[in-house]
């Protein structure tokens, strides 16, 4: 029996959520500064726990974000949050 299919006849099954991949250093293939909630950054600095960026990237911050360009996906999401009606300007 495949581990991806629930067993038949037992009535219930358990879905296990995969553990997110985290990055811990300069080996990243993408080098962007990501948008993260400020309180989460402080919490991560104190506990060493990973953070989740607007784009979904999960990692433990450790580099100076000013040295990298802003993640295009994070920027697009952030701009959409600040301007939910789109780019249309009304006079």
């Amino acid at each position: 029996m495949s581990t991806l299919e629930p067993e038949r006849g037992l009535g219930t099954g358990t879905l296990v959520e995969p553990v997110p991949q985290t990055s811990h250093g300069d080996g990243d293939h993408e080098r962007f500064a990501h948008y993260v909630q400020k309180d989460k950054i402080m919490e991560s600095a104190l506990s060493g726990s990973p953070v989740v960026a607007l784009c979904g990237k999960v990692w433990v911050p450790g580099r100076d974000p000013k040295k990298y360009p802003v993640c295009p996906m994070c920027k697009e999401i952030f701009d959409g949050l600040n301007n939910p009606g789109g780019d249309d300007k009304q006079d």
Side-chain angles (χ1 to χ4, degrees):
M1 171 168 258
S2 169
T3 59
L4 299 177
E5 296 179 21
E7 294 182 27
R8 304 228 185 255
L10 295 179
T12 62
T14 302
L15 295 177
V16 178
E17 197 170 316
V19 177
Q21 297 290 325
T22 59
S23 172
H24 293 280
D26 289 338
D28 266 351
H29 66 281
E30 68 172 64
R31 295 181 187 260
F32 290 116
H34 294 273
Y35 289 151
V36 178
Q37 292 178 347
K38 287 183 182 182
D39 60 327
K40 299 297 182 186
I41 294 171
M42 181 59 73
E43 181 181 320
S44 175
L46 295 173
S47 69
S49 61
V51 295
V52 180
L54 286 178
C55 68
K57 179 178 171 102
V58 179
W59 84 108
V60 177
R63 297 179 286 176
D64 181 5
K66 294 177 184 174
K67 294 181 179 180
Y68 302 95
V70 173
C71 168
M73 188 178 289
C74 280
K75 181 165 177 39
E76 181 179 333
I77 294 168
F78 183 77
D79 290 344
L81 292 173
N82 287 332
N83 188 13
D87 292 334
D88 297 338
K89 294 183 180 178
Q90 296 179 356
D91 292 322

